[in-house]
Amino acid sequence: MEPFNQFTWDLTPYEESGSHTLRVEVTDTLGLSRSTISTPVELEVQYRPSLLAPANLDRLSILFVILLATAALVMILIFLSRRGWGSETRRRKRKEDQDPVTQPVNIHQEATLLRRQNTPGQGSNIKPISSPRLVLQGEGSPAVIPLEVDELTLGSDRRQAQIWLDSPSIDPLHARINLDESGAVIISDLGSVAGTWVNYTPISSTGVRLEDGDLVRIGKMSFRFQVAQAEKPRGEF
């Protein structure tokens, strides 16, 4: 009966399984004691599995192999992606190298062009022209660019160029046109990729003087330089 209906047996000291005899003896406050009969008990000690146990070693080996295979697959994918990106970059670079529009213009005949404006004594004979203009050629409706200011810039960027030219071959700031003191029109390139050409000859930043009827090519856009002549008075022949 209570309070002798249960007891606690500390099993911590036991490290091995084995047979034991259990006998409980109880002594009350008056010194009287009683004991139970001896009861055989089989004690089985269960060990906690270690990470170094054979079964766990097999699991660790499998996990290690899986991680190693995953890492190798990731490295292969990264290598292939970089190789593919590099191949695409090389293909794009070769395409750009073969596209004449994207090639820097090598100016071999610049001295010949400049001779037209730098010939001794020629500058004093240049007559001021009236109403010079560039007329767009072969692009649908004709467009006329009047050249009535001392300096005019042409390009594909509205924020940089005074005259906007809508073509992929045009640099943001492509070419410049100036009127010198004598009234001559000078066109020069501003380091563009596709170049600026006069009568199929590339020009540089030094520029060349335009003459009436010259074919001016800016990138892939072609213009004709024209000088509008003043009308003669009636009765004059």
Side-chain angles (χ1 to χ4, degrees), residues 24-216:
V24 180
E25 183 176 351
V26 180
T27 302
D28 61 11
T29 56
L30 299 178
L32 300 176
S33 63
R34 294 288 299 273
S35 63
T36 63
I37 62 175
S38 299
T39 303
V41 176
E42 291 292 333
L43 182 62
E44 181 179 355
V45 178
Q46 295 182 353
Y47 295 95
R48 179 177 296 177
S50 173
L51 291 176
L52 300 179
N56 290 331
L57 286 177
D58 292 340
R59 297 191 189 97
L60 289 176
S61 300
I62 295 174
L63 180 60
F64 177 75
V65 171
I66 293 175
L67 292 177
L68 186 62
T70 303
L73 179 60
V74 170
M75 293 180 65
I76 292 174
L77 292 176
I78 293 175
F79 173 76
L80 292 178
S81 63
R82 290 183 176 178
R83 184 175 181 181
W85 179 83
S87 299
E88 179 64 25
T89 302
R90 288 191 293 271
R91 285 194 296 270
R92 186 164 56 251
K93 184 66 169 59
R94 284 196 299 267
K95 183 177 179 181
E96 292 177 355
D97 291 342
Q98 295 172 0
D99 188 354
V101 176
T102 61
Q103 304 309 304
V105 178
N106 189 9
I107 304 174
H108 296 290
Q109 302 182 22
E110 180 179 347
T112 304
L113 283 172
L114 296 179
R115 194 175 301 123
R116 192 169 67 181
Q117 72 176 80
N118 295 331
T119 302
Q122 185 179 17
S124 59
N125 297 325
I126 297 176
K127 297 181 179 180
I129 59 179
S130 59
S131 303
R133 62 188 182 182
L134 289 177
V135 180
L136 184 64
Q137 307 252 320
E139 297 287 344
S141 300
V144 177
I145 302 176
L147 309 177
E148 300 174 347
V149 295
D150 292 339
E151 180 176 292
L152 198 64
T153 54
L154 302 92
S156 60
D157 189 343
R158 296 177 185 266
R159 295 170 298 181
Q160 300 185 55
Q162 295 168 271
I163 299 297
W164 176 63
L165 301 179
D166 185 15
S167 173
S169 63
I170 305 298
D171 278 25
L173 196 58
H174 197 106
R176 176 182 288 112
I177 296 177
N178 296 91
L179 271 68
D180 66 9
E181 296 178 355
S182 65
V185 178
I186 308 298
I187 185 170
S188 57
D189 186 74
L190 296 178
S192 65
V193 176
T196 303
W197 309 67
V198 176
N199 297 329
Y200 306 103
T201 305
I203 65 173
S204 71
S205 58
T206 305
V208 64
R209 179 174 57 85
L210 294 176
E211 296 180 354
D212 190 25
D214 280 347
L215 178 64
V216 179

